[in-house]
Amino acid sequence: MRFIILAGGSGTRLWPLSREQYPKQFLKLGENSLFQGTVLRCLDVSDISEIFVVTNESQKFFVSGQIQELGYDIPKENVLIEPEGRNTLPAICFGMKEIDSRFGRSTVGIFSSDHVLDKSAMKTIADVKALSSSHLVTFGIAPTFPHIGYGYIKPAESLDIGHRVSEFREKPDIESAKKYIEEGCLWNSGMFLFDTGVFFKELKMHSPDIFNAFEGSDEISSIYNAVTSISVDYGIMEKSNNVAVVKLNYNWSDLGNFSAIYDELEKDSKGNVVYACDHVSLNSRNNFVHSKTGKAVSLIDVNAMVVVDTPDALLVCPKGSSQKVKDIVSELKDKD
Ligand code: GDD
Ligand code: MG
């Protein structure tokens, strides 16, 4: 089975650990980076030659380097370099066009590079191939709270495998997110299974400008000059009447912020996650502490905080405010 791994985002919510030059998917917080975890999951059901990574010039060395660390060599032609990020729809088109022109009509799993997922989910994903010959397939997760950073999927009648989708809504406001959960919607996992033929037909219908740009040229820089920035969720999934969902009953997480990362990592006896520093704390619990500077970090009577120290930036915030870190990054950019 073939895969496209999207590895071009900058992960601003993990600032200052992740920067544009070293985004979160390549950060090693545990044994492997999230990107390496994604590659290993794909390798469970495919060969390295079937894995395509869409990335950019400044991240391409992380891509091949981190795959080499796993003991594999990704063919150079499978690492697709975007001239500039245009969000996920053009990135997916780039990968789908490359696969279609090299191998003909194919079923392709589309993965984000910044998710945690149980390995056992891969069999379910590979097993629903037949559904993708007629539908755009997305994988749904049972929601646990009204997260406004996710897409919501309303399942309708059952198909042979999975369910037809009657509504797909990307990043709703909090009131709508609550309503979608009450109505039995699933979170969009951001993982898809697309047949190249079905995908380009839907693209032509719902985002004709992007379709025409990819159809009209083989030169990636001129294609990217002609396309706007849009995610696959807004550009196709919200508009298509031909979406099916398969629910995944496995542990899944988009490690979008420090709070989500904290939840996934091993804690000490006081519930603290502490990385790469000398650390002594008194009466402090449930904190995420990361220091890349070698400085000792001490906390006294501090609970549920994020403390991230790097040579040129220090972040301190309550864990519950982690989602707002991206706002700091845009403020800092505006100051530049
Ligand atoms: N190559 C490339 N180029 N990759 C990109 C680009 C780009 O311009 N922009 C984003 N990506 C990569 C990111 O690195 C990430 O791995 C993946 O594409 C998804 O992008 P995100 O920016 O993380 O999307 P999201 O989390 O806001 O929303 C998506 O995922 C949610 C679940 O995690 C949507 O599909 C939501 O509907 C979904 O709920
Ligand atoms: Mg994401």
Side-chain angles (χ1 to χ4, degrees):
M1 192 172 147
R2 304 200 164 97
F3 287 97
I4 294 172
I5 299 179
L6 301 170
S10 56
T12 48
R13 276 165 301 201
L14 295 190
W15 180 91
L17 276 192
S18 66
R19 301 293 173 96
E20 270 167 33
Q21 301 305 313
Y22 192 12
K24 68 170 172 178
Q25 57 264 28
F26 302 115
L27 280 174
K28 287 201 179 174
L29 289 162
E31 187 191 341
N32 290 318
S33 68
L34 294 171
F35 173 73
Q36 287 174 315
T38 310
V39 172
L40 286 173
R41 281 196 298 279
C42 294
L43 285 168
D44 257 12
V45 291
S46 68
D47 185 80
I48 190 71
S49 62
E50 297 176 301
I51 298 176
F52 290 74
V53 183
V54 185
T55 186
N56 54 49
E57 194 61 38
S58 64
Q59 294 175 26
K60 70 176 184 193
F61 296 109
F62 290 121
V63 169
S64 40
Q66 290 206 344
I67 292 178
Q68 256 161 17
E69 278 176 27
L70 299 172
Y72 296 87
D73 269 321
I74 183 159
K76 214 168 157 242
E77 60 277 16
N78 289 21
V79 181
L80 306 176
I81 310 294
E82 298 178 286
E84 264 177 75
R86 290 275 189 274
N87 213 323
T88 52
L89 183 55
I92 293 172
C93 293
F94 190 5
M96 294 296 268
K97 182 173 172 173
E98 183 69 21
I99 290 174
D100 196 61
S101 64
R102 274 173 45 195
F103 308 100
R105 189 168 177 176
S106 308
T107 308
V108 187
I110 316 284
F111 278 13
S112 289
S113 51
D114 50 2
H115 289 165
V116 166
L117 175 69
D118 261 5
K119 260 187 158 190
S120 17
M122 294 308 290
K123 197 174 151 8
T124 309
I125 291 171
D127 276 355
V128 303
K129 195 174 164 189
L131 184 58
S132 70
S133 64
S134 53
H135 291 77
L136 295 169
V137 180
T138 179
F139 295 94
I141 305 286
T144 48
F145 69 103
H147 196 303
I148 54 165
Y150 292 161
Y152 285 75
I153 300 166
K154 195 178 283 182
E157 70 274 13
S158 0
L159 303 166
D160 285 347
I161 315 165
H163 288 79
R164 192 180 70 78
V165 170
S166 57
E167 188 181 350
F168 183 110
R169 175 76 189 285
E170 179 64 3
K171 300 190 188 354
D173 60 31
I174 184 84
E175 289 312 318
S176 314
K178 285 181 189 159
K179 185 178 80 67
Y180 282 125
I181 291 183
E182 276 165 24
E183 290 172 355
C185 288
L186 300 171
W187 277 341
N188 176 35
S189 66
M191 298 183 291
F192 307 99
L193 195 68
F194 293 157
D195 167 279
T196 49
V198 175
F199 174 78
F200 282 113
K201 200 170 139 209
E202 294 285 331
L203 179 72
K204 188 174 183 180
M205 236 183 294
H206 305 297
S207 287
D209 293 354
I210 297 185
F211 177 86
N212 290 336
F214 276 87
E215 180 85 341
S217 170
D218 285 329
E219 184 60 53
I220 199 64
S221 52
S222 59
I223 295 174
Y224 267 60
N225 275 335
V227 297
T228 43
S229 214
I230 188 165
S231 73
V232 65
D233 317 284
Y234 288 118
I236 297 192
M237 304 307 287
E238 272 200 344
K239 297 175 181 167
S240 171
N241 287 321
N242 197 26
V243 177
V245 63
V246 173
K247 189 174 173 195
L248 290 181
N249 295 310
Y250 300 96
N251 180 40
W252 168 92
S253 171
D254 174 343
L255 294 190
N257 59 40
F258 284 116
S259 183
I261 289 201
Y262 168 89
D263 290 342
E264 286 298 320
L265 293 175
E266 210 172 304
K267 288 123 193 117
D268 66 16
S269 58
K270 293 175 186 164
N272 295 312
V273 170
V274 179
Y275 267 96
C277 56
D278 254 349
H279 175 258
V280 182
S281 67
L282 293 177
N283 190 33
S284 297
R285 294 182 176 273
N286 306 331
N287 299 292
F288 179 89
V289 180
H290 193 296
S291 167
K292 293 178 103 180
T293 59
K295 256 184 271 167
V297 178
S298 297
L299 304 179
I300 303 172
D301 298 338
V302 170
N303 295 309
M305 294 291 284
V306 173
V307 179
V308 176
D309 191 31
T310 68
D312 59 351
L314 168 68
L315 171 75
V316 180
C317 74
K319 246 181 15 226
S321 302
S322 303
Q323 189 73 6
K324 295 185 197 159
V325 171
K326 68 172 188 315
D327 302 339
I328 287 283
V329 177
S330 32
E331 290 232 354
L332 285 170
K333 272 195 183 144
D334 289 348
K335 270 178 66 185
D336 281 350

